[in-house]
Amino acid sequence: MSRVLFLEERCKGCMLCAELCPVKIISQSPRINRQGYKAVEVLEMDKCTGCASCALICPDCAIRVFRSKKGGGE
Amino acid sequence: MAPDIDSIAPTEAVADSIDLTPMPGETLVFDKPESLRSTLTHYCPGCHHGTAHRLVAELLDEMQLREKAIVIGSIGCSVFIYNYLDIDAVEAPHGRGPAAATGVKRARPDKFVFTYQGDGDLASIGMAEIMHAANRGERLSVVFVNNTVYGMTGGQMAPTTLIGQKTTTCPGGRCLEREGAPIRMAEIIASLGGVAYSARVSLDSVKNIRAAKKALRRAFEVQTEGVGFGFVELLSGCPTNWRMTPVQANNRIRTEMIPYFPLGVFKDVATLNTEGE
């Protein structure tokens, strides 16, 4: 299982990560953060493959990626 | 000093208040580099300055240059780079980054000195400084962010603006007859004697971002090894002044910019010599 963590206060809602995500699980949330942007969110985190493409393209360093060790269980 | 960035953006504490400790059995595979401060940036959504800052910060960490690095900031959107990189900084007048960097490097040759400049700064008003610093072979690294437009001042035409591109000072589109052809800086710099490395990369996709990091590493290495002048041109987007969404801007880099500004390494002394790397 892998997961991504969005730092909502850093996100500017540019949606570059959503465009790029291979499993298309990133969408815009209705919440507006303190910068005035609608941050992104992931509703089906169990589909995340942990490829870290979203974190690499994010211009605002708003994404952290966690990957579990192989065979390490949940 | 410029007005405190914290007064217009939420402070560091907000972004840091989230718990980043991995759960049991997990590893954090992507984290913010240490040399990048957690201050929120003033850049527009989708601006590639943030990506470029991160790549530079990652390399400063990996090459352990943070304690001896001095960045020469330029005029443009990246003027606040001293707020975002946790290293020493000098602010140069418009276009004079390479001249200021020459002074810094000659006074303190043990330091790692690089400039971070945009296309209005480097290719227009600062053309003389970059050409002569490169030709003298100063032991400097230059990070050149080319987004084909003057970003901070509101989207005027730059020397790198593409033919037909509409800006506030060429509302009918840039005309080849009137304004000439866009300048290809990486090729020009590569033709100068003192240059050790010159490359053009792009920040529009994951693959290109990875290649960009490799090119930046090489441009930093030629300085740390004392070989010569290192130059990297980063093709980047300016969604606000291009009047596009960030996703459209990335597509424009792919479909319009890269065909005119070909990616690649135009000079590398390592491959010119008999042995390569």
Side-chain angles (χ1 to χ4, degrees):
Chain A
M1 287 287 288
S2 301
R3 66 182 172 106
V4 288
L5 181 69
F6 289 92
L7 309 179
E8 275 199 18
E9 291 302 332
R10 295 194 72 85
C11 179
K12 289 177 180 164
C14 68
M15 305 305 283
L16 291 178
C17 53
E19 169 80 9
L20 195 91
C21 177
V23 284
K24 303 282 175 205
I25 52 173
I26 306 174
S27 57
Q28 197 149 30
S29 79
R31 297 182 296 281
I32 294 175
N33 66 14
R34 273 176 59 181
Q35 295 191 81
Y37 298 115
K38 284 182 180 171
V40 294
E41 61 182 357
V42 173
L43 297 175
E44 303 164 281
M45 192 62 85
D46 51 328
K47 286 189 187 166
C48 178
T49 60
C51 69
S53 297
C54 51
L56 271 171
I57 201 125
C58 179
D60 297 292
C61 253
I63 307 175
R64 301 291 182 273
V65 184
F66 297 91
R67 217 177 276 162
S68 42
K69 295 179 187 92
K70 272 190 186 152
E74 292 292 320
Chain B
M1 284 295 285
D4 188 8
I5 191 83
D6 290 347
S7 61
I8 46 171
T11 50
E12 304 187 9
V14 176
D16 276 348
S17 62
I18 297 165
D19 184 19
L20 293 176
T21 30
M23 291 195 288
E26 261 185 356
T27 44
L28 184 58
V29 291
F30 187 94
D31 199 5
K32 178 185 78 64
E34 259 182 51
S35 300
L36 192 70
R37 294 180 59 194
S38 51
T39 319
L40 296 170
T41 64
H42 70 290
Y43 301 122
C44 307
C47 174
H48 285 143
H49 269 308
T51 316
H53 285 13
R54 195 193 72 225
L55 294 180
V56 168
E58 281 176 359
L59 286 170
L60 292 176
D61 282 1
E62 288 167 22
M63 297 169 77
Q64 292 169 350
L65 294 168
R66 184 179 169 195
E67 290 305 318
K68 59 172 189 173
I70 300 175
V71 59
I72 314 295
S74 67
I75 304 303
C77 287
S78 62
V79 69
F80 288 130
I81 191 164
Y82 51 77
N83 277 333
Y84 305 141
L85 292 184
D86 197 4
I87 56 176
D88 292 329
V90 176
E91 193 64 44
H94 201 184
R96 273 60 185 175
T102 301
V104 173
K105 185 68 180 181
R106 289 190 177 192
R108 299 297 302 272
D110 55 317
K111 298 289 181 189
F112 176 77
V113 183
F114 69 100
T115 71
Y116 186 105
Q117 303 177 266
D119 53 317
D121 185 87
L122 182 140
S124 182
I125 191 167
M127 186 59 116
E129 281 72 18
I130 185 69
M131 296 295 270
H132 288 288
N135 197 47
R136 289 192 306 267
E138 300 291 344
R139 272 37 171 183
L140 301 174
S141 305
V142 173
V143 182
F144 169 45
V145 178
N146 177 4
N147 59 10
T148 75
V149 82
Y150 277 83
M152 183 178 73
T153 48
Q156 291 83 3
M157 183 175 67
T160 45
T161 299
L162 295 174
I163 299 296
Q165 182 184 339
K166 289 177 181 170
T167 69
T168 52
T169 45
C170 53
R174 182 177 180 147
C175 169
L176 183 63
E177 295 283 301
R178 224 174 22 234
E179 286 102 17
I183 298 180
R184 294 184 178 107
M185 283 309 294
E187 286 91 330
I188 294 173
I189 296 294
S191 68
L192 299 172
V195 177
Y197 183 78
S198 177
R200 183 184 290 114
V201 289
S202 167
L203 297 177
D204 67 303
S205 67
V206 170
K207 178 173 158 260
N208 286 341
I209 288 172
R210 289 210 171 97
K213 190 170 170 185
K214 272 188 196 146
L216 281 169
R217 180 188 297 275
R218 192 72 198 111
F220 285 6
E221 276 172 0
V222 294
Q223 179 184 165
T224 54
E225 291 162 7
V227 185
F229 189 88
F231 182 92
V232 178
E233 175 173 349
L234 303 164
L235 298 184
S236 37
C238 183
T240 302
N241 287 308
W242 293 357
R243 315 279 191 267
M244 287 177 180
T245 66
V247 174
Q248 287 171 334
N250 269 14
N251 286 334
R252 177 178 184 262
I253 295 179
R254 242 161 274 151
T255 56
E256 292 179 39
M257 281 177 76
I258 293 178
Y260 186 82
F261 294 113
L263 306 182
V265 178
F266 300 101
K267 185 174 185 183
D268 189 345
V269 282
T271 52
L272 287 180
N273 294 338
T274 44
E275 297 191 352
E277 245 189 302

